[in-house]
Amino acid sequence: MDQYFEIFHDGVIVAIRGSVPNDITLEVECDYLRQYYDGTEAPFYVHLRNCRKFEFTNSNGEKELNLAKIAESNHEMTAAEMLDHEMLVRVFTSNVDESGWIDIEFEAVTIVDELGQPISINKLFHAADCYWDAVDARKKYFIETPLGSVLLSAIVTFVLLKTVSYFS
């Protein structure tokens, strides 16, 4: 079951509908994945059937159970793993105080598009593989070609100069 969350690496939970205990739906924005899946930037909808637990714990150990407040924080998913009968999804945001994880316990999961049409996890993995292959190809270009090396050096120099001037 963890692959249903792993696939949304860097995806952001922007809304949560429903209530616990019951069925809930996560609206997940993951533009790069959707772009490679079907060429759009529409969100994905992750339906969790019979969700018995949905609890955010921040890095300070403070818990949040209110689904609206959890969604307002726009948690970015970076990893997921199974723990016994629970799904543990680790999420991070740009706000350091809100980094942490979400414990989710549920019976079944399905992913659908904005029209409610089911989306195959295998097709999502294929789209993700295509995206990461393209990223690797761009990295390889920058590292292995003379022009790429010059461009990469220029980018690094620009970022360093901006950083130094920011802190000066």
Side-chain angles (χ1 to χ4, degrees):
M1 291 280 196
D2 54 336
Q3 74 268 19
Y4 284 90
F5 293 95
E6 280 287 331
I7 195 64
F8 294 116
H9 179 77
D10 295 336
V12 178
I13 300 171
V14 296
I16 304 171
R17 293 172 191 81
S19 62
V20 175
N22 214 333
D23 295 351
I24 66 170
T25 300
L26 310 178
E27 183 176 333
V28 177
E29 291 181 353
C30 192
D31 294 344
Y32 77 87
L33 183 60
R34 191 61 193 251
Q35 193 64 227
Y36 273 79
Y37 175 72
D38 67 0
T40 70
E41 291 183 0
F44 295 97
Y45 297 89
V46 180
H47 295 296
L48 302 175
R49 192 176 74 214
N50 192 21
C51 185
R52 295 174 294 281
K53 182 179 185 181
F54 197 95
E55 177 181 283
F56 174 74
T57 305
N58 70 17
S59 57
N60 298 324
E62 299 162 339
K63 296 187 182 304
E64 179 61 66
L65 301 172
N66 183 302
L67 298 181
K69 286 184 179 180
I70 294 171
E72 285 172 8
S73 296
N74 291 325
H75 292 288
E76 180 179 313
M77 294 185 277
T78 59
E81 63 185 8
M82 292 291 296
L83 294 180
D84 298 326
H85 299 294
E86 291 184 310
M87 171 67 63
L88 178 62
V89 181
R90 300 212 183 268
V91 294
F92 294 89
T93 65
S94 58
N95 180 343
V96 175
D97 292 336
E98 288 297 318
S99 66
W101 59 92
I102 298 174
D103 288 334
I104 308 171
E105 188 176 0
F106 57 93
E107 196 171 285
V109 59
T110 55
I111 301 170
V112 300
D113 64 17
E114 67 281 5
L115 301 174
Q117 298 299 310
I119 295 176
S120 158
I121 191 73
N122 291 332
K123 288 182 180 178
L124 285 180
F125 275 115
H126 177 73
D129 288 344
C130 290
Y131 170 78
W132 291 112
D133 288 348
V135 168
D136 289 343
R138 285 191 296 270
K139 285 180 189 174
K140 186 176 180 179
Y141 173 80
F142 273 115
I143 292 169
E144 294 182 1
T145 65
L147 178 59
S149 296
V150 170
L151 287 173
L152 184 58
S153 295
I155 291 168
V156 169
T157 302
F158 176 77
V159 169
L160 287 173
L161 289 173
K162 284 293 195 181
T163 303
V164 168
S165 67
Y166 177 77
F167 288 107
S168 298

